[in-house]
Amino acid sequence: MKKVLMVGGKNYRSIAQKSKQLNIQVIHKADYKKERRTHTYFEKHIKEVDCVVLFINACSHDNMWRIRELTKRYNKPIVYTRGTGTTNAFTIAIQRMKPKVG
């Protein structure tokens, strides 16, 4: 089972339904706040996930930069999505999690 960290957005029901259909475990952080403890939260979860989905219109700028830095450090794929549509976000995340051939 793949594991994805989703940051931003409010579509809890849609995220739960789509993740169940696709057999993906989701960690969802719907937070617009700038808090110091979010850095440790993100670091803990980015280490254990296969991909990060960032809803850029529903996330603080500070958190976006923290996540970008951590995904680079731990070599994890990140998906930026402008809308809050979960189907599109999951589709792109699944493509990014596939191993590259060649």
Side-chain angles (χ1 to χ4, degrees), residues 2-93:
K2 297 287 185 178
K3 197 179 228 185
V4 174
L5 172 64
M6 298 189 114
V7 181
K10 297 180 189 177
N11 297 338
Y12 302 109
R13 186 178 301 155
S14 177
I15 289 170
Q17 287 175 348
K18 199 66 177 173
S19 64
K20 192 173 184 179
Q21 287 175 357
L22 298 171
N23 196 28
I24 296 176
Q25 183 181 355
V26 173
I27 301 167
H28 185 240
K29 175 77 169 163
D31 198 358
Y32 310 107
K33 301 174 190 167
K34 297 177 189 174
E35 298 177 2
R36 292 192 123 175
R37 66 177 186 233
T38 57
H39 186 78
T40 54
Y41 174 88
F42 290 138
E43 186 167 20
K44 173 187 163 198
H45 290 299
I46 287 173
K47 286 180 183 179
E48 63 188 36
V49 298
D50 299 303
C51 184
V52 177
V53 175
L54 181 65
F55 292 102
I56 58 176
N57 290 340
C59 176
S60 76
H61 205 75
D62 190 45
N63 285 343
M64 180 195 68
W65 287 108
R66 285 181 182 161
I67 291 166
R68 283 187 68 181
E69 173 205 329
L70 291 168
T71 54
K72 278 186 182 180
R73 184 184 306 162
Y74 296 110
N75 198 24
K76 302 290 181 169
I78 185 168
V79 173
Y80 300 98
T81 180
R82 288 203 180 274
T84 56
T86 55
T87 301
N88 186 38
F90 276 117
T91 303
I92 297 169

